[in-house]
Amino acid sequence: MNKKLLGFGLALLLANPLFSQKVAIEKAFNNQSAIEDFRYLASDELMGRDPVRPEIELAYNYIASELKKAGAKMIPGADGYFQNIPFRMSSPPSTGQIKLGKNTFEQGKDLLVLDGKSISGSYELVDVGFGLEEDFQGKDLKGKIAVSNVGAPDRLGPADLFALGREKTARAQESGAIALIERFNVPSVPWQLVSNFLNRPTLGVDQGESSELTYIWIKDMDNGVRSAMADQSISKADLMISGKTNKNIDGKNVVAWIEGTDPQLKNEYVLLSAHYDHVGVGRPDAEGDSIYNGARDNAVGTVAVMNAARFFAKNPPKRSILLALWTAEEKGLLGSAYFAENPLIPLNQVIFNLNIDNGGYNDTSVITVIGLGRTTGDDQISKAVIEFGLKAIPDPAPEQGLYDRSDNVNFARKGIPAPTFSLGFQAFDDEIQKYYHKPGDHVENFDLDYAIKYWKSYILAAQLIANDSSKPVWVAGDKYEKAGKDLYGN
């Protein structure tokens, strides 16, 4: 009798589609292979996966090779398994100084020359508001300096500042300006933090002629420069900028796809993504370790996408799977931004982006989903993680602005529902800071049992979304809801 009951119970379990999918993932998943990927990507050999160091080639070639071996296909229009990106590294000037009336701004103190060439002389200033397209209309900028606020009224996140800066320099160059100065006055972002991060060689996408335009930020937290320009007490600037150097660097996103099985749904794609770069080599810690290995940020996420490729290549879902490992996330979300502006698959065919980025974890019983509560894909993600004994929770630290600090935001802006599937954390506390962008972020101090659950639950979440007959959408009232309707036409 007990054997009959046991057999009946087992039959019921196997008849449960969700349980059956979990069993299939468990059976296909190679724990040892996944951990070997993890150890290699976070090894000293890769020197912290800095996209400007030569060792980054080891990382992207390894990932591409594994995607190929898995059976994922090359995307038409890509260079094999790569999307090539023309990067440009711009170093601070040896001398940087601007005089505005009685005030003198100096490089690294209250001035940052972010890109462009050396320039000296006295030039007329023209205020262009936020530097939007309409702000440039009707302005005489030939041989003058365009001056704007950073960002835009509703776009003041870190990624927004850089993305909009590129747009503004292009407009300034087309208008005949010789430089663009942006007044940095974002109250939520300390200037010293900005200066520490940007007063060093920085990476950007080469914009052609507009990259030669001298691009500057000045500290204007009290809007003093803005007020002085408004009352015309400041009308010109004396520039002394010399010793600017710029260098071209090849960047590579690693991309591939797996065709879906449904005759109609296979024309829609679920984008599975993670950034594979990290911060490289830096200041040594107390033990003398100067290699920032980035196990948590974001080798663990890269391994998740690689193993999703292995599973779906042999078990394709109804929708097609688009696989992307981004470069230069740590340099300003550059790789994903480039793809979003130069997509290899039409964006209106990408119905969801399940992105991965991480700082660390302090709770191995949960998965923290940055953006949980914002799309109708929540239920599928929650069901998937429950199957592996975990629980999906929303962002517990919204004050950190994490949603707008990772690659998902470049797709959200286009209208694609795009949460980030992160390691479990209940607060951005000392346990997170212990490893976040620190040399101690190693595989050796990572809970590998938790990593395996994390990887498997990610695959199941992607599978549920890719097989669902309905497309995920933004919840009503979300700030990206209109972009979604514009993209998909509904």
Side-chain angles (χ1 to χ4, degrees), residues 145-162:
I145 297 175
V147 183
S148 77
N149 288 329
V150 294
D154 58 344
R155 294 182 61 184
L156 292 173
D160 291 317
L161 302 187
F162 294 116

Side-chain angles (χ1 to χ4, degrees), residues 96-98 104-112 191:
Q97 187 180 92
I98 296 179
T104 299
F105 297 81
E106 296 184 2
Q107 176 71 25
K109 181 181 176 184
D110 43 19
L111 164 72
L112 293 166
W191 171 263

Side-chain angles (χ1 to χ4, degrees), residues 427-444:
F428 217 78
D429 61 8
D430 290 344
E431 182 62 23
I432 302 296
Q433 296 291 352
K434 181 179 177 181
Y435 298 110
Y436 180 60
H437 288 191
K438 300 288 198 312
D441 185 7
H442 297 298
V443 173
E444 286 70 26

Side-chain angles (χ1 to χ4, degrees), residues 73-137:
K73 297 190 288 188
M74 294 180 286
I75 301 174
D79 178 13
Y81 286 88
F82 302 118
Q83 181 185 40
N84 299 321
I85 307 173
F87 283 140
R88 169 186 169 99
M89 186 166 67
S90 185
S91 298
S94 54
T95 300
Q97 187 180 92
I98 296 179
K99 291 183 178 178
L100 294 172
K102 297 179 181 179
N103 298 318
T104 299
F105 297 81
E106 296 184 2
Q107 176 71 25
K109 181 181 176 184
D110 43 19
L111 164 72
L112 293 166
V113 182
L114 300 178
D115 203 355
K117 56 189 178 181
S118 299
I119 184 172
S120 294
S122 183
Y123 301 92
E124 186 178 339
L125 303 174
V126 178
D127 195 311
V128 292
F130 274 99
L132 305 177
E133 190 171 350
E134 57 268 27
D135 294 326
F136 277 87
Q137 292 176 357

Side-chain angles (χ1 to χ4, degrees), residues 122 126 128 160 204 218 231 243 285 299 321 339 383 414 449 452:
S122 183
V126 178
V128 292
D160 291 317
I218 60 173
D231 65 23
D285 61 13
I321 298 293
F339 188 97
K383 288 176 184 176
K414 297 292 186 180
D449 289 336
I452 290 166

Side-chain angles (χ1 to χ4, degrees), residues 13 31 53 100 137 147 165 169 191 208 222 258 323 352 388 392 404 436 463 475:
L13 284 174
N31 293 0
R53 290 186 62 99
L100 294 172
Q137 292 176 357
V147 183
T169 53
W191 171 263
D222 61 357
I258 295 162
L323 304 153
F352 199 76
F388 290 96
D404 293 328
Y436 180 60
Q463 186 176 43
V475 300

Side-chain angles (χ1 to χ4, degrees), residues 301-357:
T302 303
V303 173
V305 176
M306 290 167 63
N307 279 278
R310 290 172 181 141
F311 179 78
F312 289 124
K314 293 180 174 61
N315 304 274
K318 293 179 181 179
R319 288 189 176 88
S320 294
I321 298 293
L322 177 57
L323 304 153
L325 289 310
W326 311 123
T327 188
E329 186 272 350
E330 301 289 0
K331 305 295 185 181
L333 317 183
L334 299 180
S336 58
Y338 189 83
F339 188 97
E341 294 302 324
N342 304 274
L344 298 172
I345 298 291
L347 293 184
N348 63 359
Q349 292 179 240
V350 181
I351 60 101
F352 199 76
N353 173 209
L354 191 57
N355 183 57
I356 295 183
D357 194 10

